[in-house]
């Protein structure tokens, strides 16, 4: 199993990298993948995956303390 990295990009999606399984509410595997871009803005047309609808419409910068 790989190390999993979760990166919160400025004004953009959350990036997950590693040995990932996306599962539904019943725990059934939707997709096994090594990188996911998950929406944070809520503006997208295809729910869950980032489609870059945030560009120019979303601001958020997360920093470690």
């Amino acid at each position: 199993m790989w190390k999993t990295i979760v990166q919160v990009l400025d004004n953009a999606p959350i990036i997950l990298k590693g040995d990932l399984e996306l599962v539904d509410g019943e725990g059934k595997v939707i997709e096994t993948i090594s990188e996911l871009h998950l929406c944070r803005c809520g503006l997208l047309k295809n729910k869950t995956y980032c489609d870059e609808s945030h560009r120019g419409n979303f601001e958020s910068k997360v920093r470690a303390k």
Side-chain angles (χ1 to χ4, degrees):
M1 184 178 289
W2 306 345
K3 176 180 177 180
T4 301
I5 296 172
V6 178
Q7 182 180 12
V8 182
L9 299 177
D10 290 349
N11 310 320
I14 295 174
I15 306 293
L16 291 93
K17 295 180 183 179
D19 188 14
L20 308 170
E21 281 188 344
L22 182 63
V23 297
D24 66 13
E26 296 176 342
K28 295 178 186 171
V29 176
I30 296 172
E31 185 174 10
T32 301
I33 194 164
S34 61
E35 185 171 325
L36 287 172
H37 297 212
L38 300 178
C39 174
R40 292 195 304 137
C41 73
L43 300 170
L44 65 155
K45 295 164 189 70
N46 180 16
K47 297 295 183 207
T48 308
Y49 300 110
C50 178
D51 66 4
E52 298 192 7
S53 293
H54 63 270
R55 292 198 182 267
N57 298 306
F58 177 74
E59 291 186 25
S60 177
K61 293 183 181 180
V62 177
R63 296 293 183 260
K65 293 182 180 186

